[in-house]
Amino acid sequence: MKQWKIYIMLVFVMFAWGANLPILKYLVTVVPPVTLTAFRVLTAGLVVLVILWQMKLLRLPTKQEWKYILLGALTNVVLHHYFLNMGLSITSGTHGGLILGTGPMLTAISAAIILKYFPSRYQWLGLVLGLAGVSVSILVGGGESNGANIGDLFVFLAILAQVLSYMVVSKAAKTLDPRLLTAYMMLVGAVVLIVISFVQEPGGVTAFTQTTPFFWWLFLASAVISTAIGHLIYNYAVGKAGPTKSAIFMNLNPVFSLILSAIFLGEILNFRHVIGLIFIIAGVLLGSGAAEDLWKKHKQKRATP
């Protein structure tokens, strides 16, 4: 597939994920977060399975591939979705969107370390700037409650778990179609989350019986479009373009999240949020290596007679 088509797909995914954050912020006020997560991911996994069955891509994984599936299910599904929904239940969609903005930077640094490429000084600078952005927008002043700060930490752990899962997807893609990997990860992860929900939120399933049609429309939009199709496309892009290149597009995620949270949740963006977003985007450009590549190309053009 041509590179520009992958880029268009990634922009769509970032919009879907950006929209998913304010949707989840609403959904977790109706159904307990872990219970909601478990059945939302299960729905997404079944949708992906049907799509792949129609595409005739279904097959049983090998013993080695099952190791990647289990590790991916733990990081990409269980830890990511558990901490994301727990965090959004006690923090704002605006804060969640800003923290998700550290994803590209963390992906670039993790890929460099795990895939045996030592980060450059510019990438380390990007890491520092990105973390500074999170600190400025969330942890410094503003009179935030301890509960909100714990929620912010949970969202950060969610994006960190997701970033680590991209390393698994990148390695597994050598033998297993990332789209098929996505389906297996979601189904295995959903089962684990259902067990956790029964322990942590006994009786949480009954909350589904007290919902409205509006809730179910948003639930299906989150499960089918953002989670199923979004992860299906993104994991496919990671397998084709690599985790670092794909991660560059994740800087669109907090932009969409902030705008949509302000529109649909009525959350107010203040000066700290804007400064934090600037720091995070600077961290993205440096941590992903994009700024360094542009500088090298600029120097080469100037050196060419």
Side-chain angles (χ1 to χ4, degrees):
M1 179 178 289
K2 292 182 179 180
Q3 202 74 1
W4 65 269
K5 289 184 178 180
I6 293 179
Y7 293 160
I8 292 175
M9 291 163 62
L10 286 169
V11 171
F12 166 77
V13 172
M14 292 310 113
F15 177 80
W17 286 358
N20 194 42
L21 195 135
I23 289 175
L24 288 178
K25 177 63 182 172
Y26 166 77
L27 293 178
V28 295
T29 64
V30 181
V31 174
V34 183
T35 303
L36 174 78
T37 302
F39 287 95
R40 183 173 60 84
V41 173
L42 178 62
T43 302
L46 293 173
V47 169
V48 173
L49 206 64
V50 171
I51 292 173
L52 296 181
W53 175 67
Q54 290 290 333
M55 297 172 67
K56 295 182 170 46
L57 290 176
L58 288 183
R59 72 168 176 84
L60 289 176
T62 65
K63 189 176 294 186
Q64 179 64 30
E65 289 168 345
W66 270 114
K67 295 179 182 178
Y68 288 123
I69 290 170
L70 294 175
L71 186 57
L74 175 66
T75 53
N76 190 275
V77 180
V78 178
L79 293 178
H80 171 66
H81 289 286
Y82 176 86
F83 283 120
L84 179 61
N85 285 267
M86 287 295 294
L88 288 177
S89 67
I90 51 179
T91 193
S92 68
T94 302
H95 280 193
L98 278 166
I99 297 171
L100 292 177
T102 62
M105 167 196 59
L106 292 173
T107 301
I109 300 298
S110 300
I113 295 174
I114 295 174
L115 301 180
K116 309 300 182 183
Y117 173 76
F118 195 75
S120 69
R121 58 186 177 181
Y122 296 106
Q123 288 178 311
W124 285 120
L125 177 60
L127 175 62
V128 172
L129 286 175
L131 294 177
V134 174
S135 300
V136 167
S137 60
I138 294 170
L139 304 177
V140 178
E144 303 292 352
S145 67
N146 289 331
N149 286 338
I150 293 173
D152 297 337
L153 175 61
F154 282 170
V155 176
F156 180 78
L157 292 175
I159 191 61
L160 181 60
Q162 188 180 46
V163 163
L164 293 176
S165 77
Y166 296 152
M167 309 303 113
V168 178
V169 172
S170 183
K171 286 182 173 291
K174 294 176 181 177
T175 61
L176 183 63
D177 189 307
R179 295 167 291 186
L180 186 57
L181 174 66
T182 301
Y184 284 122
M185 288 194 308
M186 284 184 174
L187 292 174
V188 172
V191 171
V192 176
L193 285 170
I194 288 173
V195 173
I196 295 174
S197 72
F198 287 157
V199 174
Q200 186 171 328
E201 299 165 349
V205 178
T206 58
F208 282 109
T209 63
Q210 303 167 4
T211 56
T212 63
F214 179 68
F215 170 89
W216 285 108
W217 278 112
L218 291 181
F219 177 88
L220 290 175
S222 175
V224 177
I225 299 175
S226 297
T227 305
I229 297 176
H231 281 81
L232 195 67
I233 293 174
Y234 191 83
N235 287 342
Y236 176 76
V238 169
K240 292 293 183 181
T244 303
K245 282 187 177 180
S246 300
I248 294 173
F249 287 84
M250 287 180 68
N251 67 336
L252 296 174
N253 195 343
V255 176
F256 289 134
S257 296
L258 289 173
I259 294 172
L260 295 172
S261 291
I263 294 173
F264 294 108
L265 299 179
E267 296 180 359
I268 300 173
L269 304 183
N270 59 38
F271 181 71
R272 287 187 300 119
H273 291 138
V274 175
I275 295 297
L277 188 58
I278 291 172
F279 271 102
I280 289 171
I281 291 176
V284 167
L285 294 174
L286 289 168
S288 65
E292 196 172 354
D293 288 341
L294 289 173
W295 176 247
K296 287 179 180 179
K297 288 179 181 179
H298 175 69
K299 289 176 68 176
Q300 288 174 354
K301 285 184 178 179
R302 292 188 62 181
T304 303

